Amino acid sequence: MKKRIPAIKGTKDILPQEAKIWQAVEAVVKRVCELYGYKEIRTPVFEATELFEKGTGETSDIVIKEMYTFTDKGGRSLTLRPEYTPSVVRAIIDHRLNLKPDPLRFYFMGPMFRYDKPQKGRYRQFHQLDVEVFAEQDPAVDAELVEMADFLLEELKVADTETLVNSVGCKKCRPSYITKLRTQAQKEKQELCEDCQRKVLTNPLRIFDCKVETCQDVAKKFPMITEHLCQECEEHFKQFCAYLEFFGLEYRIEPRLVRGIDYYTKTTFEIVSAKLGAQDAILGGGRYDDMMKEFGGPDICGIGFAMGLERLLSVIPKTEKKEPFLYLAYLGKKAKKTGMLLSQFLRRKGVECLMEYREKSLKSQMSRANKLGASWVLIVGEDEVKKGKYQLKNMTTGQQEEKTQEDILEVIQKAS
Ligand code: AMP
């Protein structure tokens, strides 16, 4: 017996039927993003490890525990992207996109890689829609981004979601808050999990990300960042919330929403769905006003969000929509060749056409067409070949008519 080589844990095959749903979702995403002026950008799947260490942050769980890092044959340390933002920022700097007149609004859909514990809603290769806008300080853009996410979910018929918002302050106000937080966390250290005990020293803000129940209970008593914002951050947050209301959006302020990534400044937000269970965030994002500068680029602020496509797909109502197609049934060698040319003609005119090359009786070809859900069957036998007229059967009405190649095309185009 030969050994089977199964798929890697935490990865998932997207089979044809499901791929159809992905394509439909991707088309809606693309349309909505472009309505808001976003253009697609595509960057490589792997980057220098340093990019994520510096961008995502050395105290984030992603960098500490979850990166797929390897050394290539040239001795460079590379990492499969665990998230997208640092790659976009790098691309802007590399191509000096900020000097071009186009708005700095980008979107992308593709796979991300994290060595996470596989479970429902958590995979090691998963897909994200990533949306980023740069050089916009105004809190109106923070609200517009949430409004766009809300519209996208509405277009995809995702119901029962909740929008959570917060501000995580900036370089001016966060350090003194972190000091207070550390002092408090130090007092409760014995109650925290091993991981969080380490975070007390490295970055106590990350304790809020911990999923361990006892840590969450302890964190509830911690001082809240929203009460320690500097005037600029407080004003920004106030205006952001006011713009959300202006757009008619409902939201809840969640002072513990710090998100697992180190680079956020001011606004953070998440849209969650009760249908998702423990991993309830469909999307999350925030502002990162210092990243570009810290990567050696211009001093340009940014804000964006990432939406998990697997999670999104799991809350989208399923609708089965079959595309119409024609099954070409043939009898004999001559009919096979004519059938091949007829298929070629119809496909080139945009008609989906299936012809299978296993010689079968007409009866079994008809039953196969039925099983596959064909809209029409085109029957090509020796007589039909001689006449240049073929039997077109409408599988819904059962009606069968003799038609020329051009007539067949006309009938199908009219029906589609
Ligand atoms: P993050 O990049 O961690 O802010 O996550 C943004 C979104 O990506 C989350 O709200 C999830 O929908 C999705 N996501 C993050 N990690 C995973 C994962 N391991 N598997 C599946 N989806 C994920």
Side-chain angles (χ1 to χ4, degrees), residues 7-13 68 123-125:
I8 302 295
K9 199 170 155 193
T11 69
K12 200 168 155 287
D13 296 313
Y68 276 95
Y123 308 101
R124 290 184 172 166
Q125 176 177 320

Side-chain angles (χ1 to χ4, degrees), residues 10 56 62 66 82-85 112-130 259-261 263-264 269-272 276 279-286 305-312:
T56 313
I62 293 181
E66 297 171 3
E83 58 140 349
Y84 206 60
T85 313
M112 306 291 151
F113 307 86
R114 292 185 196 171
Y115 194 77
D116 231 338
K117 198 169 157 214
Q119 55 188 286
K120 187 170 168 272
R122 231 173 231 295
Y123 308 101
R124 290 184 172 166
Q125 176 177 320
F126 60 99
H127 297 75
Q128 282 186 338
L129 155 69
D130 192 82
R259 316 244 324 109
I261 296 168
Y263 50 64
Y264 287 124
F269 59 92
E270 256 181 25
I271 298 187
V272 299
L276 281 174
Q279 309 298 327
D280 64 352
I282 306 179
L283 66 92
F305 71 78
M307 177 189 267
L309 296 181
E310 282 79 2
R311 286 196 206 167
L312 172 70

Side-chain angles (χ1 to χ4, degrees), residues 133-146:
V133 45
F134 297 89
E136 295 269 23
Q137 275 292 358
D138 196 316
V141 84
D142 305 30
E144 190 202 78
L145 206 58
V146 177

Side-chain angles (χ1 to χ4, degrees), residues 25-76:
V25 168
E26 283 158 7
V28 175
V29 166
K30 189 167 171 331
R31 178 171 60 78
V32 170
C33 287
E34 299 202 351
L35 280 175
Y36 286 73
Y38 291 87
K39 300 281 179 274
E40 190 179 3
I41 187 166
R42 299 185 190 193
T43 65
V45 164
F46 55 81
E47 300 269 4
T49 301
E50 206 189 346
L51 186 83
F52 302 109
E53 285 172 350
K54 233 173 139 182
T56 313
E58 274 166 325
T59 66
S60 66
D61 278 354
I62 293 181
V63 170
I64 295 174
K65 300 190 245 174
E66 297 171 3
M67 293 211 297
Y68 276 95
T69 297
F70 61 98
T71 308
D72 77 356
K73 290 188 169 47
R76 300 169 203 91

